[in-house]
Amino acid sequence: MTKSWRLWLPLAVFAAFLGFTAYQLQQPKDDTIASAMLGKPLPRFALRPAVDGLPGAAQTDFADGKPRLLNIWASWCLPCIAEAPQLKALQEQGVEIVGIAIRDRPEDVARFLAQHGNPYTRLGADDLSEVQFALGSSGVPETFVVDGNGVIRHQHIGDIRAGDVPKLLARLEEAR
Amino acid sequence: MIAELGLAALWLAAALAALQLAASVLSLRAGEGGETLGGVIRPTAILQGGVAALSFVLLMWLFIRTDLSVKLVAMNSHSAKPMIFKLAGTWGNHEGSMLLWVTVMALAGALIAAIERRLPEATMRATLGAQAFVGLGFYAFLLFSSNPFERLPRPVPEGMGLNPLLQDIGLAFHPPTLYFGYVGLSVAFSFAVGALLTRQVTPDFARAMRPWVLGAWVFLTIGITAGSYWAYYELGWGGWWFWDPVENASLMPWLAATALLHSASVLAARDALRAWTIMLGVIAFSMSMVGTFLVRSGILTSVHAFAVDPERGSFILALLAINIGGALALFGWRAGSIAEGERFALVSREGALVVNNVLLSAILGVVLLGTLYPLVTEAFDVRVSVGPPYFNPVSAIFALPMLAVMALGPLLRWRQDAVRRVRRPALLAAGLAVAGAVIAWLIAGPAGLLPTLGVALAVAVGIASLLPLRGRRLTRTPLPIWGMVLAHLGIAVSLLGMASESAWSQERLAALAPGESAEVGPWRVTLTKVVPVAGPNWTAIEGDMDARYQSGSPIPIAPQARSFWSPSQTTTESALVTRWNGQLYAVIGEAVGDGRWQVRLWWKPLVTLIWIGGLLIALGGVLALIGRVLGDLKRRSVLAKRLRWRGEQPV
């Protein structure tokens, strides 16, 4: 008898899989979860530099009157590669972008920047996703518009497509 | 008219599958008395295969003629497209690929009916019944929710093209190859279900199943290898495996089928691992279906964008529930009554194969978990993307010991063996492995832990894979042994390529004006000029470059950035220079201003070994398959002769 229940185990595992996927299929697909931090000041953080040659990032860098983008990314994330040209374009429009690299290694970050260009003025390393969670971000890439008082004004979830560049510029203008 | 004919053929094939299922169930119920009914099953299965194939050929014909009154053609083709891609358009979309799926399934059923003679008659009927049952679900899916022959109210003037990324000769034949593999595994599934129903899990059953699994496995291996190479040169990112859900969907059935091949060998040779082999037969095709479901339902996001339709997702999920759930329930109910097979010692060929099976299944679990994890966390409103930082180390934890066992397993004897008997070859392989890693460090420079272990294991597995040939006369060595040797050698070759690529690749991003050069590894690449070029449905910027290996003569290369106009999309066409010791990979990017262009260069030492290894593995499978089939034919003719000797008629 002890053995017979084990033979039903695969079916039980499969039933759990079915349950999950059936539930997921019923869920509306595109409800993005907005951060609860919208409209609130940045959480306190001070991150060491993620790569040689760029300063790290801290919330004290922000409240100096100039709106900025805060970009959450990682060198191991594929959509971040797709996003790189748009960040570059934003930088060329004069936007200051502070980056936070999630669970990354300095050499990988350096390689990514060498390969896809460096749009950042500052780049902090968030090895345990602590700052990422504090910001209410749940994935990479994500981008926040932070106004001159250090308050989070807008959250962009997912990679920045070419069409998003003017929208983000408009958001930055509003945050001025 | 052709579209209506195609739809009619599809209905007819579905009806034949229903007949096949009914005849199978009734003849099994009737037991001994079901002979007449049982006689219907084989011809019906063959006819079903023919009619389904006719339906697929008619759809191909619609694509060749670019019949724009058919919705599928209008959505996915274009009159200006080269003929080969019009043809490939048949399966380069959801409906067409599902039609290909049922066609391959029906043809596989027809092939079993036509040539399989080893299985006991009752198991055979149950198997063809199971094949018809699974097939019926997919016919229903096509007819009720994905009709490929649907007409538009009025023809459109021009088609909407095909995803330009898919306009590539490699990709044109990549999906059908994979489908032959996925769906070929349905045979193993039906065999397993058939054997569970009749409780006849014997060595002969394993011998009957093995060639079918081998065939499907060869197609999967080729499909995965080709897909990886395609992603490598077409996507322009310089990588060859991305752990994308779609790639994982093809890897999981391959892992299961590989485990199945090995456990079937144990069952065939030693009558052990009965229930486990059945389980793997069910799992292998289940992984094909789960993979297809995950990819087609849009439930997971992937770089392979397919049309997303939740209704279709629900339909496939229901099919999964019925097919896989049914098979697993049957397993739970019946597997206990299948007598335990022969026993064996831990140190034996069977022991090594069991360890291999457990580790392969563990890797399968790791990949499945990583693929599904985002789905699970999403249920708790957390979105994550699981990437190489998880897959690479975690699968390596299981892959590395598996490779070590793989090196030694073929040297062990069946049933029971002593470690000391294989101590000498093991030490030889280990010594050469260490030497290999040291030499690699000396030549190419230091590398990380995983790549170094990879190189060492590649050498060990490579040496050990040849050892089963030791002491044999090569001309008289059976083909299946050659197959095993080649496939294991292929793993070693591929592993060496992976380790070398990850440890010693060099890359360079440069902004070059015409006349300027950049260096990467031993290469010096000079941009001569940038010119616009045009193809039948695209225009491109082409960077004409001269690549020089050390002080060699210049080799002209011309990477392109292409813009397609229907639908509008840009792609990169990388340029490759292949040498025996690696590949130069060049991509042209955008204009930087002041007359400079972004140029990305990679030097990837020994990278081509990854795919050469893949092809060796497939070739090993082909040799083993030929060997098994020839052996079977020989056995049959000997049997026939013996019967004639006794003056009886062969059955």
Side-chain angles (χ1 to χ4, degrees):
Chain A
M1 257 344 262
T2 47
K3 210 183 162 191
S4 71
W5 66 266
R6 265 187 255 159
L7 296 174
W8 293 94
L9 225 81
L11 185 63
V13 173
F14 179 65
F17 163 78
L18 274 185
F20 254 121
T21 42
Y23 171 75
Q24 277 303 320
L25 270 183
Q26 302 310 317
Q27 298 305 303
K29 201 55 195 163
D30 268 318
D31 58 338
T32 37
I33 313 137
S35 166
M37 296 296 288
L38 281 179
K40 294 186 182 158
L42 282 171
R44 269 181 198 235
F45 65 90
L47 296 173
R48 66 168 171 82
V51 68
D52 290 339
L54 278 180
Q59 110 276 2
T60 47
D61 303 333
F62 283 82
D64 64 351
K66 186 182 178 193
R68 288 182 179 80
L69 287 183
L70 178 57
N71 179 240
I72 311 280
W73 69 286
S75 71
W76 45 264
C77 131
L78 290 186
C80 299
I81 298 175
E83 188 187 54
Q86 281 70 256
L87 287 178
K88 205 72 196 150
L90 283 161
Q91 183 204 27
E92 277 159 18
Q93 305 256 10
V95 177
E96 193 178 325
I97 306 172
V98 177
I100 295 185
I102 306 299
R103 295 174 186 264
D104 227 325
R105 284 191 292 249
E107 60 270 29
D108 291 343
V109 170
R111 202 176 303 140
F112 186 98
L113 296 184
Q115 197 173 332
H116 304 287
N118 170 26
Y120 306 108
T121 49
R122 294 173 166 274
L123 190 51
D126 188 9
D127 291 334
L128 298 171
S129 301
E130 286 165 331
V131 178
Q132 185 190 15
F133 291 157
L135 283 165
S137 145
S138 48
V140 281
E142 266 184 42
T143 307
F144 294 89
V145 175
V146 182
D147 72 13
N149 299 319
V151 175
I152 301 172
R153 286 293 167 201
H154 174 71
Q155 179 188 24
H156 180 93
I157 295 176
D159 56 335
I160 300 170
R161 304 275 163 91
D164 298 324
V165 172
K167 291 180 206 160
L168 282 171
L169 286 171
R171 292 285 188 169
L172 282 161
E173 199 53 49
E174 283 170 32
R176 205 164 272 283
Chain B
M1 194 54 205
I2 297 172
E4 284 69 27
L5 214 60
L7 187 59
L10 194 57
W11 274 104
L12 182 59
L16 286 167
L19 175 65
Q20 187 179 330
L21 176 62
S24 159
V25 171
L26 292 177
S27 77
L28 283 176
R29 276 254 182 101
E32 291 300 309
E35 293 303 316
T36 354
L37 214 45
V40 176
I41 301 174
R42 279 185 196 249
T44 310
I46 294 171
L47 197 59
Q48 188 210 333
V51 176
L54 173 68
S55 174
F56 187 73
V57 167
L58 288 172
L59 186 65
M60 272 165 75
W61 185 241
L62 290 172
F63 269 88
I64 289 172
R65 288 191 7 183
T66 320
D67 186 336
L68 294 169
S69 69
V70 175
K71 190 176 166 195
L72 191 66
V73 180
M75 299 287 282
N76 296 288
S77 199
H78 193 286
S79 60
K81 216 155 65 167
M83 178 53 79
I84 184 79
F85 297 122
K86 283 185 184 172
L87 199 63
T90 316
W91 55 79
N93 57 75
H94 169 78
E95 288 85 350
S97 67
M98 289 320 291
L99 183 59
L100 178 63
W101 177 288
V102 293
T103 303
V104 177
M105 228 185 131
L107 285 175
L111 207 59
I112 308 175
I115 66 174
E116 183 58 59
R117 291 285 178 273
R118 260 177 192 252
L119 279 186
E121 193 55 31
T123 308
M124 180 71 186
R125 285 181 205 159
T127 300
L128 284 175
Q131 191 81 4
F133 181 82
V134 178
L136 261 182
F138 284 98
Y139 282 119
F141 181 50
L142 269 171
L143 290 168
F144 298 126
S145 131
S146 313
N147 177 9
F149 296 104
E150 194 182 331
R151 293 256 190 206
L152 289 170
R154 67 177 58 124
V156 289
E158 189 49 273
M160 287 165 70
L162 171 78
N163 186 342
L165 268 179
L166 306 184
Q167 290 199 29
D168 178 275
I169 192 72
L171 197 72
F173 295 98
H174 167 58
T177 314
L178 272 179
Y179 269 36
F180 276 105
Y182 287 162
V183 185
L185 289 176
S186 71
V187 178
F189 181 87
S190 299
F191 269 51
V193 170
L196 275 176
L197 284 171
T198 58
R199 293 196 178 88
Q200 284 172 328
V201 187
T202 59
D204 237 10
F205 160 79
R207 282 185 209 115
M209 176 159 91
R210 191 159 50 183
W212 299 98
V213 182
L214 261 176
W217 181 82
V218 166
F219 276 112
L220 271 182
T221 310
I222 295 174
I224 294 172
T225 308
S228 154
Y229 192 68
W230 174 80
Y232 170 76
Y233 79 75
E234 181 73 21
L235 293 183
W237 294 339
W240 53 272
W241 192 264
F242 301 98
W243 296 108
D244 178 83
V246 172
E247 289 174 325
N248 295 348
S250 68
L251 183 63
M252 290 187 291
W254 186 86
L255 289 167
T258 310
L260 174 59
L261 270 182
H262 291 88
S263 82
S265 288
V266 175
L267 181 54
R270 296 280 310 131
D271 197 9
L273 302 186
R274 290 181 183 168
W276 177 246
T277 304
I278 294 289
M279 187 73 224
L280 281 177
V282 171
I283 295 275
F285 184 57
S286 300
M287 282 299 143
S288 298
M289 287 194 286
V290 167
T292 308
F293 162 72
L294 290 177
V295 167
R296 295 276 154 188
S297 65
I299 201 164
L300 285 175
T301 5
S302 150
V303 293
H304 296 66
F306 292 103
V308 171
D309 184 339
E311 185 206 335
R312 285 176 182 165
S314 309
F315 208 123
I316 306 186
L317 190 65
L319 285 183
L320 289 190
I322 296 169
N323 290 333
I324 305 177
L328 291 177
L330 188 67
F331 180 84
W333 179 38
R334 281 287 173 91
S337 65
I338 295 168
E340 202 182 338
E342 295 284 326
R343 301 194 152 256
F344 49 84
L346 179 64
V347 181
S348 64
R349 180 84 66 89
E350 296 96 314
L353 285 167
V354 167
V355 174
N356 139 303
N357 257 258
V358 169
L359 290 171
L360 272 174
S361 309
I363 299 172
L364 173 61
V366 165
V367 177
L368 185 64
L369 203 65
T371 311
L372 293 180
Y373 188 68
L375 204 67
V376 176
T377 61
E378 217 171 287
F380 303 104
D381 277 349
V382 178
R383 293 187 179 207
V384 293
S385 100
V386 182
Y390 162 77
F391 285 108
N392 286 341
V394 181
S395 56
I397 288 173
F398 298 104
L400 295 176
M402 186 198 76
L403 291 164
V405 174
M406 196 184 111
L408 289 183
L411 306 176
L412 293 170
R413 290 196 181 125
W414 291 109
R415 199 185 331 234
Q416 192 167 17
D417 205 345
V419 178
R420 100 188 100 74
R421 211 181 54 79
V422 293
R423 193 186 289 152
R424 218 180 321 152
L427 284 177
L428 171 77
L432 286 172
V434 173
V438 170
I439 291 171
W441 273 54
L442 290 179
I443 296 177
L449 175 68
L450 276 186
T452 308
L453 279 175
V455 170
L457 270 171
V459 174
V461 171
I463 301 289
S465 69
L466 298 174
L467 290 180
L469 294 177
R470 189 183 45 155
R472 283 179 186 272
R473 267 209 287 174
L474 294 188
T475 48
R476 306 207 56 176
T477 303
L479 276 179
I481 300 283
W482 276 110
M484 176 189 77
V485 167
L486 261 190
H488 286 182
L489 183 64
I491 297 271
V493 168
S494 198
L495 180 65
L496 186 61
M498 293 174 196
S500 166
E501 195 271 344
S502 74
W504 296 295
S505 280
Q506 297 184 35
E507 48 188 292
R508 178 80 198 272
L509 176 76
L512 298 183
E516 290 181 342
S517 308
E519 282 180 21
V520 59
W523 290 89
R524 185 180 181 80
V525 177
T526 312
L527 183 67
T528 45
K529 59 181 189 299
V530 176
V531 289
V533 287
N537 50 356
W538 47 265
T539 54
I541 292 296
E542 182 178 284
D544 287 349
M545 306 176 191
D546 278 331
R548 236 178 245 272
Y549 184 82
Q550 287 167 347
S551 56
S553 52
I555 303 160
I557 52 172
Q560 296 177 342
R562 284 189 187 170
S563 304
F564 287 77
W565 36 261
S566 182
S568 119
Q569 191 173 351
T570 54
T571 67
T572 56
E573 297 290 310
S574 57
L576 300 173
V577 187
T578 309
R579 282 176 52 90
W580 68 269
N581 61 347
Q583 258 180 347
L584 173 74
Y585 186 116
V587 176
I588 180 121
E590 291 171 9
V592 195
D594 69 356
R596 285 163 191 275
W597 296 81
Q598 262 184 21
V599 175
R600 274 197 281 160
L601 303 169
W602 280 271
W603 164 239
K604 294 174 171 291
L606 301 185
V607 68
T608 39
L609 290 187
I610 296 174
W611 306 290
I612 292 175
L615 292 179
L616 276 179
I617 299 169
L619 183 62
V622 171
L623 285 188
L625 181 59
I626 293 174
R628 296 289 177 212
V629 171
L630 288 183
D632 195 33
L633 291 178
K634 206 167 164 190
R635 193 190 57 99
R636 258 190 232 177
S637 76
V638 169
L639 211 64
K641 251 186 221 151
R642 204 177 297 157
L643 286 171
R644 228 173 291 139
W645 183 254
R646 286 199 229 138
E648 292 166 24
Q649 283 298 310
V651 240

